[in-house]
């Protein structure tokens, strides 16, 4: 005996067919609209998200200024993890520097563990003269922009597709209820009961 081959016909819900219900056509339009909006919306949202992160990274890099600071002392216990005993590449240290106005300031920043008191170390300040971490490297900035754009695009596309699926489920539920009412209307006069 030969096995029947199942053939999928594209666009079958739009074709003229006496068994086609209005809900079938509505479902087809929902699927088409959801995939179109998800695709286009994901691209647009991804580009907008990536551009927003790009601007934030550029603004962050532009606001940070390098200063030469003098190491006052290292913060005790910042070079080794107490529990595991692991040594760190950087330790916290109290440093002193002169800001753009000529005022001497102090603060805490990360330095290499080999730096001793009195040595000069690189530090970074923001537009207000506060110590901040060093700006991100160009490669890391690019990675952040790409990851943010991709994440926003995926989240937007998934959200639209989930919304389309929920709408389809509602249409299917309504069609099933209508089908049950129609079945009862046709079956009861014949003396049959369903369920």
């Amino acid at each position: 005996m030969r096995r029947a081959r199942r053939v999928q016909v594209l666009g079958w819900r739009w074709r003229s067919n006496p068994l086609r219900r209005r809900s079938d056509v509505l479902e087809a339009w929902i699927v088409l609209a959801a995939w179109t909006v998800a695709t286009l919306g994901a691209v647009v949202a991804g580009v907008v998200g990536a551009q927003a992160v790009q601007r934030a990274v550029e603004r962050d890099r532009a606001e940070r200024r390098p200063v030469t600071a003098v190491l006052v002392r290292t913060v005790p216990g910042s070079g080794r993890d107490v529990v595991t005993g692991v040594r760190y590449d950087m330790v916290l240290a109290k440093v002193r520097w002169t800001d753009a106005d000529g005022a001497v300031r102090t603060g805490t920043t990360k330095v290499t563990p080999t730096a001793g008191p009195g040595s000069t170390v690189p530090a970074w300040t923001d537009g207000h003269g506060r110590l901040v971490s060093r700006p991100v490297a160009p490669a890391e900035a690019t990675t952040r922009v790409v990851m943010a754009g991709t994440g926003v695009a995926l989240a937007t596309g998934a959200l639209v597709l989930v919304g389309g699926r929920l709408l389809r489920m509602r249409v299917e539920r309504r069609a099933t209820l209508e089908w049950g009412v129609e079945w009862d209307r046709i079956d009861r006069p014949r003396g049959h009961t369903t369920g």
Side-chain angles (χ1 to χ4, degrees):
M1 183 171 193
R2 267 172 123 181
R3 286 180 66 178
R5 213 173 100 193
R6 183 176 176 205
V7 177
Q8 180 110 8
V9 179
L10 294 174
W12 68 271
R13 291 179 191 256
W14 282 292
R15 290 183 176 195
S16 180
N17 182 341
L19 299 177
R20 182 185 71 182
R21 301 171 297 178
R22 195 174 69 190
S23 63
D24 294 333
V25 175
L26 184 57
E27 276 186 64
W29 281 110
I30 290 171
V31 169
L32 180 64
W35 277 100
T36 303
V37 171
T39 303
L40 296 177
V43 169
V44 170
V47 168
V48 169
Q51 288 174 346
V53 171
Q54 177 74 33
R55 283 190 303 273
V57 166
E58 287 172 357
R59 184 176 53 249
D60 187 53
R61 287 176 58 91
E63 289 175 355
R64 295 179 188 230
R65 303 276 184 258
V67 295
T68 302
V70 176
L71 180 66
V72 176
R73 65 179 167 81
T74 58
V75 176
S78 65
R80 179 185 292 252
D81 189 325
V82 178
V83 177
T84 61
V86 174
R87 289 188 171 267
Y88 296 117
D89 294 346
M90 303 294 276
V91 296
L92 291 176
K94 187 171 186 176
V95 294
R96 182 180 60 242
W97 76 98
T98 305
D99 67 8
D101 298 331
V104 176
R105 306 185 98 183
T106 59
T108 304
T109 189
K110 292 182 179 180
V111 298
T112 59
T114 56
S119 61
T120 58
V121 292
W124 294 85
T125 60
D126 62 5
H128 304 288
R130 295 180 297 237
L131 284 177
V132 292
S133 61
R134 75 175 47 234
V136 295
E140 185 180 347
T142 301
T143 302
R144 285 184 184 185
V145 169
V146 169
M147 294 298 286
T150 303
V152 169
L154 290 175
T156 302
L159 185 66
V160 171
L161 291 177
V162 166
R165 180 64 186 144
L166 292 174
L167 189 58
R168 261 186 80 200
M169 287 171 57
R170 187 172 178 170
V171 169
E172 287 174 2
R173 183 175 31 232
R174 185 172 173 201
T176 302
L177 289 174
E178 288 175 0
W179 181 76
V181 168
E182 186 68 20
W183 184 262
D184 285 344
R185 188 180 66 79
I186 291 172
D187 203 32
R188 282 189 197 269
R190 295 184 182 151
H192 301 285
T193 56
T194 57

